[in-house]
């Protein structure tokens, strides 16, 4: 078999790759898109991000190990309707994405964003537009109890929070979750918690899941955090809720259109922190993903069941 790598594998990981494939299989790590397309003509396995425009150039591909956790960009018809096996990196981003969610929450609650603006002006102190909030003992609603949601719950317990998980498919209540409810209870949960964190995948069912109907029932002191995918939230509805002062603040690592348009009102709210879809960044990211791919590769070559097989009909 021929293994196509989008990006280099080096050091001990390269040694492990070569040990796994032995002399029976080959691998190639193209240095350009043109080379990737040329080498992909007879490749059997692809590791990386297989975009819609690349997929037709890989006619022999049998398995794609995506380097992404979210599968929304992979759900194009050609791949979705094919027999190609698709696995993702779900669970590998949980720690650092959950860190980002709590960084946004703490930044808003402690007024860090306002202090940074004052620092830019060389100004000590200065007027605050938001009160200083202690998050210890908060009640938190986490929408989506996959790998990221589980890490959010773990961090929430470190702040002695009461955790309510909302999930469409999960029925087993994790230890770090006080209550686990189905998605039809979303509005009820949002009405009673101090912070809502979004951690579910973007699918046909979750697009526009967060909208005026459930945002409007949130408490005026509540925080809204989205580090999942922008289109899960109806952005005009969120802007309207923020303009009306119906929630305390919002922390957004993702937006409906990225990059966020220059004329978006979201830029100008004093109670909004925006990070540029950067929650996936970590010094451990590439090592973790490559190690996972190598584990799956060994399973694949041994005819064993792969981890993180994506249900292409559900989209995750």
């Amino acid at each position: 078999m021929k293994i196509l790598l989008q990006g280099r594998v080096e050091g001990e990981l390269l040694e492990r790759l070569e040990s796994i494939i032995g002399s029976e299989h080959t691998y190639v790590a193209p240095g350009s898109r043109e080379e990737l397309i040329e080498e992909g003509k007879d490749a059997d396995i692809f590791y990386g991000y297989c975009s819609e425009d690349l997929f037709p150039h890989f006619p022999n591909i049998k398995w794609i190990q995506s380097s992404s956790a979210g599968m929304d960009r992979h759900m194009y018809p050609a791949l979705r309707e094919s027999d190609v096996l698709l696995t993702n990196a779900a669970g590998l981003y949980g720690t650092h994405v959950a860190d980002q969610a709590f960084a946004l929450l703490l930044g808003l609650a402690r007024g860090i964003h306002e202090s940074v603006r004052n620092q830019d002006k060389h100004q000590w102190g200065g007027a605050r537009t938001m009160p200083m909030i202690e998050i210890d003992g908060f009640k938190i609603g986490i929408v989506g109890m996959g790998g990221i949601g589980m890490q959010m719950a773990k961090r929430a317990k470190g702040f002695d929070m009461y955790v309510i998980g909302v999930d469409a498919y999960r029925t087993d209540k994790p230890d770090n979750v006080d209550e686990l409810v189905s998605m039809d209870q979303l509005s009820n949960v949002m009405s009673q918690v101090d912070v809502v964190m979004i951690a579910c995948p973007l699918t046909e069912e979750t697009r526009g899941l967060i909208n005026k109907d459930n945002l409007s029932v949130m408490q005026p002191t509540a925080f809204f955090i989205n580090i999942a995918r922008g289109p899960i939230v109806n952005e005009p509805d969120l802007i309207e809720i923020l303009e009306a002062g119906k929630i305390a603040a919002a922390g957004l690592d993702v937006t409906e259109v990225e990059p966020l348009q220059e004329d978006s009102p979201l830029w100008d709210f004093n109670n909004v922190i925006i990070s540029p879809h950067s929650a996936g960044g970590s010094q451990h990211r590439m090592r973790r993903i490559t190690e996972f791919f190598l584990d799956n590769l060994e399973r694949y070559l041994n005819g064993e069941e792969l981890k993180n097989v994506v249900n292409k009909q559900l989209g995750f």
Side-chain angles (χ1 to χ4, degrees):
M1 287 191 177
K2 181 177 178 180
I3 302 159
L4 186 62
L5 306 173
Q6 189 181 47
R8 296 194 176 278
V9 178
E10 300 174 329
E12 293 180 1
L13 294 175
L14 179 58
E15 292 177 8
R16 186 181 171 204
L17 169 62
E18 292 175 341
S19 173
I20 290 171
I21 65 175
S23 59
E24 300 177 39
H25 311 288
T26 61
Y27 73 89
V28 60
S32 67
R33 175 182 169 83
E34 292 73 25
E35 188 181 354
L36 187 71
I37 290 173
E38 181 62 30
E39 294 287 355
K41 291 178 180 178
D42 59 348
D44 302 279
I45 297 170
F46 179 77
Y47 166 51
Y49 167 53
C50 189
S51 58
E52 186 171 8
D53 59 326
L54 275 179
F55 185 72
H57 298 286
F58 305 154
N60 199 47
I61 286 290
K62 301 172 182 64
W63 166 41
I64 295 172
Q65 171 65 63
S66 173
S67 56
S68 175
M71 288 290 97
D72 46 289
R73 293 192 301 166
H74 292 72
M75 291 299 106
Y76 45 87
L79 176 54
R80 198 168 193 171
E81 296 166 9
S82 74
D83 293 328
V84 174
L85 190 64
L86 177 64
T87 55
N88 67 6
L92 305 181
Y93 291 83
T95 52
H96 47 285
V97 174
D99 282 354
Q100 185 87 358
F102 273 84
L104 291 169
L105 174 60
L106 285 164
L108 290 163
R110 304 307 299 168
I112 303 299
H113 59 309
E114 295 190 306
S115 295
V116 170
R117 289 167 186 157
N118 288 333
Q119 182 179 346
D120 289 340
K121 302 173 187 175
H122 295 197
Q123 182 177 348
W124 181 268
R128 289 190 174 277
T129 61
M130 296 178 62
M132 299 284 278
I133 302 296
E134 181 180 344
I135 70 170
D136 185 79
F138 262 20
K139 183 179 283 189
I140 183 173
I142 300 173
V143 184
M145 291 308 301
I148 294 171
M150 291 289 287
Q151 289 293 332
M152 287 176 171
K154 180 179 178 181
R155 283 152 180 73
K157 279 303 172 186
F159 288 99
D160 292 325
M161 292 184 179
Y162 186 89
V163 179
I164 305 176
V166 184
D167 198 278
Y169 298 95
R170 187 164 196 154
T171 57
D172 58 310
K173 185 180 75 63
D175 291 340
N176 286 329
V177 175
D178 296 289
E179 295 181 45
L180 179 66
V181 301
S182 57
M183 201 63 78
D184 61 359
Q185 295 297 308
L186 177 60
S187 290
N188 180 50
V189 171
M190 291 178 68
S191 71
Q192 58 179 295
V193 297
D194 301 292
V195 55
V196 173
M197 286 189 177
I198 306 301
C200 59
L202 175 61
T203 66
E204 294 173 3
E205 289 73 28
T206 63
R207 186 177 297 273
L209 175 71
I210 305 300
N211 52 54
K212 188 188 302 184
D213 290 342
N214 44 45
L215 287 167
S216 63
V217 302
M218 290 177 66
Q219 301 177 55
T221 54
F223 296 82
F224 178 79
I225 308 293
N226 185 15
I227 48 70
R229 288 290 188 268
I232 294 171
V233 180
N234 183 308
E235 203 161 280
D237 286 358
L238 176 61
I239 291 170
E240 183 178 333
I241 291 294
L242 286 164
E243 286 176 338
K246 292 186 176 180
I247 61 175
L252 308 173
D253 185 61
V254 290
T255 56
E256 196 164 7
V257 175
E258 296 177 359
L260 182 61
Q261 296 173 324
E262 289 186 17
D263 60 352
S264 171
L266 289 172
W267 292 114
D268 300 316
F269 287 108
N270 287 329
N271 58 343
V272 173
I273 296 180
I274 299 168
S275 54
H277 204 143
S278 56
S282 166
Q283 74 274 34
H284 304 301
R285 170 176 170 154
M286 289 312 301
R287 173 184 57 77
R288 285 178 182 149
I289 297 172
T290 303
E291 286 176 345
F292 183 83
F293 165 63
L294 294 178
D295 288 344
N296 253 356
L297 178 61
E298 196 163 16
R299 287 171 173 267
Y300 187 86
L301 296 178
N302 290 334
E304 300 172 6
E305 184 178 355
L306 299 185
K307 296 180 180 179
N308 285 9
V309 175
V310 174
N311 183 322
K312 291 187 287 186
Q313 300 311 308
L314 293 178
F316 59 92

